[in-house]
Every structure is written in structure tokens, then in C-alpha cells.
Amino acid sequence: MFFSFVTFLIGQAGLSGLEVALAVLFLALIKGQLVGHYFMGLGSVRGIWHWPVFVWLFIPGILIGTAFYLSYTTG
């Protein structure tokens, strides 16, 4: 809930820019990892079963972060 509240405050403050966008993306990735770890119960699972959520968050996170960076540097 803390990360969601921080994201809300960033939006209410009207902050913008590459650093803010990447920070909000990072908070979203952390929240997704926490959901997989605690609510989906993957924190206590042995073997490779906790990796699909990490990969599912990591690959789109890298692609979205790269898109933010490229749009910032070219625009």
C-alpha cells in the first residue's frame, strides 16, 4: 500500500520527467514482485516456479524503461 500511496502522491504533485517515469515504473515492478511473492505464495516455492513472475515483470519492465529513455533522448 505504501508504494501505491507514493505513486498517488507523485501523480497529485504533477511531477514529470524521465526520472519520475522510471521511478514510478520501478515502484510498479516492485509491487508486482511483492504480489507474486506474498499473495500468489511464490515466496515459499522451491525450484524454478518463482522465476516466471520475475521474468514476466523484468522483460516488460526493461522494454518499457528503454522506450521511456529513447523517447526522452530523441524528443
Side-chain angles (χ1 to χ4, degrees):
M1 286 178 48
F2 175 75
F3 292 139
S4 296
F5 186 67
V6 169
T7 304
F8 170 77
L9 291 178
I10 289 171
Q12 288 296 316
L15 300 175
S16 63
L18 177 64
E19 294 83 10
V20 175
L22 292 177
V24 170
L25 175 63
F26 183 70
L27 288 176
L29 295 175
I30 290 174
K31 289 190 299 185
Q33 188 65 28
L34 289 172
V35 166
H37 188 79
Y38 293 106
F39 295 111
M40 294 174 65
L42 296 177
S44 61
V45 175
R46 299 215 189 269
I48 65 166
W49 295 109
H50 64 276
W51 285 103
V53 172
F54 175 77
V55 171
W56 175 72
L57 291 168
F58 182 76
I59 292 173
I62 292 297
L63 294 174
I64 292 169
T66 302
F68 282 164
Y69 178 75
L70 291 176
S71 69
Y72 180 75
T73 57
T74 59

